[in-house]
Amino acid sequence: MPDFDALFSAAARVQPRAYAPYSRFRVGAALMADDGAIYAGCNVENAAYPVGSCAEAGAISAMIAGGGRSIRALLVLGEGEALVTPCGACRQRIREFAAPETPVAIAGPEGIRAWFSLEALLPASFGPDNLPG
Ligand code: THU
């Protein structure tokens, strides 16, 4: 089982650094990669609203730049009462680097609130294996 305490700490470290002046909703994400390292990211918004990027996208970029190639586990940390589950686009971004059984933990400030498999979040997904060759 991946070390979700370490993922929570990594996400909590970057969440306050989120650039979210428009939504004021700060999100941190952290993932454990195949190289054993933890990579984190936060949301970065933009005055041109659709150009903003999610915390998960930042964590994936950090993984690729850092030399990781696949996701073993991922945690998303948000604020408020509702579960901060990844948006649809990020589910597909995660799918590129994770297997359907990969665990995704959703946390609030007090700790982990729920676990999902990627398959539960994105059933019957289209991934790299669906392409020929
Ligand atoms: N957001 C994330 O970064 N990750 C999620 O899983 C949900 C939403 C960001 C996008 C935007 O900057 C803000 O939260 C409000 O939607």
Side-chain angles (χ1 to χ4, degrees):
M1 190 65 168
D3 185 353
F4 279 100
D5 287 343
L7 290 180
F8 183 89
S9 298
R13 205 157 37 241
V14 298
Q15 185 193 21
R17 302 179 192 150
Y19 178 75
Y22 306 107
S23 72
R24 304 205 171 280
F25 188 72
R26 292 186 168 86
V27 183
L31 63 85
M32 166 70 67
D34 56 325
D35 60 358
I38 290 176
Y39 297 98
C42 54
N43 53 331
V44 181
E45 298 183 348
N46 193 284
Y49 292 178
V51 182
S53 60
C54 289
E56 296 90 327
I60 289 170
S61 291
M63 176 187 82
I64 294 299
R69 278 294 175 268
S70 65
I71 300 170
R72 285 188 193 156
L74 182 137
L75 179 143
V76 184
L77 169 58
E79 302 167 339
E81 297 297 308
L83 287 183
V84 181
T85 43
C87 76
C90 281
R91 293 176 195 208
Q92 186 66 36
R93 289 191 178 99
I94 296 164
R95 175 67 187 94
E96 184 69 18
F97 303 105
E101 58 273 15
T102 302
V104 177
I106 310 300
E110 77 289 355
I112 292 175
R113 294 175 174 173
W115 271 274
F116 299 91
S117 65
L118 180 57
E119 171 72 13
L121 294 175
L122 192 67
S125 63
F126 186 90
D129 296 344
N130 295 77
L131 288 173

